[in-house]
Amino acid sequence: MTVQEVRLCGLLLQEHFGEVVEKVGIHLLGSGAQILRAIAHETSTPLDLVKKSLCVLVQHGMCEFRRGRRGPGGAVEYHASYERVLRILRYPRYIYTAKTLYGDTGELIVEEVLQRGHMTMSDSVRTVADRLTHNMEEGRSMEYSEVVSAFSKLVETHFLQRCPPVADVGTALPAEAGPGAPAAPAPTLAESHPDRYILPHINLTGRGKRRHPSDDSEVDSKGAKRAKMDASAASDDMGIYWQVNFDRFHQHFRDQAIVSAVASKMDQTSSEIVRTMLRMSEVTTTPTAACTQPLSANEIFRALPPSYSITRPILEQYLSLLVDDPMEFVGKSGESGGGYLHKALASLARATLESVVQERFGSRSARIFRLLLRKRHLEQKQVEDFAMIPAKEAKDMLYTLLSENLVQLQEIPKTPDHAPSRTFYLYTVNPLPTARLLLQHCYKAVGNLIERRLYETKESKRLLEKSQRIEAILASLQASGAEPSQLSEVEEMITAPERQQLQALRNHVNKLDSSENQVDETIFLLESYISSTETSR
């Protein structure tokens, strides 16, 4: 784990869970597996706060616990996962994908599960139905059955999965860890859990309830209403908890990136054929597979959308073009075709590296970089000739790329004495180390964006709090049927300069958020390529 990854993990934990959880999480990331009292001693944090922090981390799957090294009688050890912490950065993208595929109901289901780490199906259905009802017109409400249908679709397509049972540690967290999650949602356990996509038989009938502002204080202070609702729990409240399947979302992101690349390189019809092939094998192909399951032309033809009106001969011509394309997104295996996922990711990663070099060093440097990617090893004179760039400029560009570690220099001596006059100096690009280097730059960039956003928010903290108080007063007055004159009087409590300052702050924060999402797309591509390369070796 690098310095940039630790820094980004700390910023994400601080922003979402607070400083205490950040301190405990960063300590676990740096020190490895530790027992409870060692964590409290080395972080100088009260034992009670350490317990609560560990509960939060375990609840969200960012920390795992297991038996200590001293055997069954030893203390339980806790271990944090930096990869799981970094997934917080992608939460908005998960939620937006659920909204795109399954509408507002799917969006709220995924949002609730992400916010709480894991939930029972009945709790999720009731919470989402209440939220949707609250946003509806007066007199309308959301049926539980509609939310159950959306939840079922998310499970059927593997976007949600059951939390695996605790592996040989006990039926719950140890006493020293406090009340925590009923399951440690480790991805390895989830993949080996055979019933992870089986829905429980529950009886949920009714509608969502509208919550009034006057009820919020009661529910938040005592939780009496929530406890009363939980008392009439459904049958799945006996230990069946659900979590977001991040691997399935990542598989969807990868497929979308491949389809977009095919559309930009060829045409919309080709991309639709590739989309159909990926959709047919999305559940049967594991996320780490190097290629999809082989599909025959007949299967692809039957699965194509009728709106495209593609005949069988035209489909075969398109498949031939896709197989012969240098990008190698589609390959041929006997009489069946399949997608070469690893090669597709490698092509997308190379395109990303080329675009970064072009943005930072110009089109001529990008030409040299692209040339080295294709030719593998070239001498300086060969680079000048093939790239058609003057010797002085090519030399400067090569040395600049070499100093940034984007290009490597390989020495091949003719004689054992390594004399410079009798040595070949070959320039080359190694995509895997270069992708790792760029990934660290992306982590640093996202960390800088988050720090800037936190700074901007802190500087305008007083104004933001004032705006929130006024919005709360307005909402309360509107609910009680106040007159327009009263509402306008409250709105005038914020002056015109303050409104301009608030608008400028919102625009700035929105740009920073958008930049974070754009950098995360690059991070996802590079992470997928690195993981795929390491798996295929």
Side-chain angles (χ1 to χ4, degrees), residues 222-487:
K222 298 292 183 182
K225 292 190 177 181
R226 175 62 59 188
K228 192 178 295 182
M229 186 183 297
D230 290 343
S232 59
S235 60
D236 69 328
D237 288 336
M238 301 304 293
I240 302 177
Y241 285 78
W242 297 86
Q243 63 184 3
V244 171
N245 185 1
F246 297 105
D247 289 339
R248 179 66 183 87
F249 274 101
H250 294 167
Q251 185 181 355
H252 178 78
F253 298 157
R254 180 200 64 196
D255 293 350
Q256 291 298 108
I258 292 173
V259 170
S260 299
V262 173
S264 60
K265 177 75 183 294
M266 301 182 73
D267 61 1
Q268 194 64 35
T269 305
S270 301
S271 69
E272 190 59 40
I273 293 172
V274 173
R275 186 198 305 275
T276 302
M277 295 174 65
L278 291 170
R279 191 186 300 120
M280 292 170 67
S281 57
E282 62 185 359
V283 177
T284 58
T285 303
T286 59
T288 57
C291 58
T292 64
Q293 295 293 330
L295 301 167
S296 67
N298 283 330
E299 292 174 324
I300 300 171
F301 181 70
R302 287 195 298 267
L304 281 172
S307 58
Y308 272 80
S309 303
I310 300 176
T311 61
R312 176 64 189 274
I314 293 177
L315 172 62
E316 291 181 351
Q317 291 177 10
Y318 270 107
L319 288 174
S320 299
L321 288 173
L322 288 167
V323 169
D324 296 335
D325 191 85
M327 296 174 74
E328 295 184 299
F329 283 1
V330 176
K332 198 170 185 180
S333 173
E335 294 301 319
S336 301
Y340 287 171
L341 301 176
H342 171 62
K343 292 183 179 180
L345 288 172
S347 297
L348 293 174
R350 284 197 297 270
T352 301
L353 295 177
E354 291 172 12
S355 66
V356 169
V357 172
Q358 180 162 348
E359 288 295 324
R360 290 187 62 188
F361 306 107
S363 58
R364 290 193 170 189
S365 295
R367 191 191 310 170
I368 293 174
F369 187 83
R370 194 179 301 114
L371 182 65
L372 291 173
L373 273 175
R374 292 179 181 174
K375 299 289 186 180
R376 299 295 180 88
H377 295 87
L378 290 175
E379 291 185 283
Q380 182 176 321
K381 184 67 171 65
Q382 292 175 308
V383 172
E384 298 165 5
D385 295 340
F386 287 137
M388 294 182 291
I389 297 175
K392 186 176 183 301
E393 292 183 23
K395 183 178 179 181
D396 290 342
M397 291 173 185
L398 280 170
Y399 288 172
T400 301
L401 294 173
L402 189 63
S403 65
E404 294 288 336
N405 293 321
L406 295 170
V407 167
Q408 292 79 39
L409 184 63
Q410 186 174 352
E411 299 179 6
I412 303 178
K414 297 179 185 177
T415 57
D417 59 355
H418 289 260
S421 60
R422 292 185 294 275
T423 302
F424 292 110
Y425 294 94
L426 302 179
Y427 290 93
T428 183
V429 173
N430 195 337
L432 189 59
T434 307
R436 288 197 181 103
L437 175 68
L438 181 57
L439 183 60
Q440 297 306 315
H441 289 326
C442 290
Y443 286 146
K444 183 178 180 180
V446 172
N448 291 342
L449 289 168
I450 293 175
E451 282 191 339
R452 183 64 191 180
R453 177 160 48 78
L454 293 175
Y455 173 78
E456 293 283 345
T457 308
K458 185 178 178 181
E459 287 294 303
S460 305
K461 184 179 179 181
R462 184 197 61 81
L463 185 58
L464 287 171
E465 289 177 350
K466 179 180 178 181
S467 174
Q468 289 171 358
R469 286 197 303 269
I470 292 175
E471 287 176 0
I473 294 171
L474 285 172
S476 178
L477 289 175
Q478 287 174 349
S480 60
E483 297 180 359
S485 59
Q486 291 177 307
L487 297 177

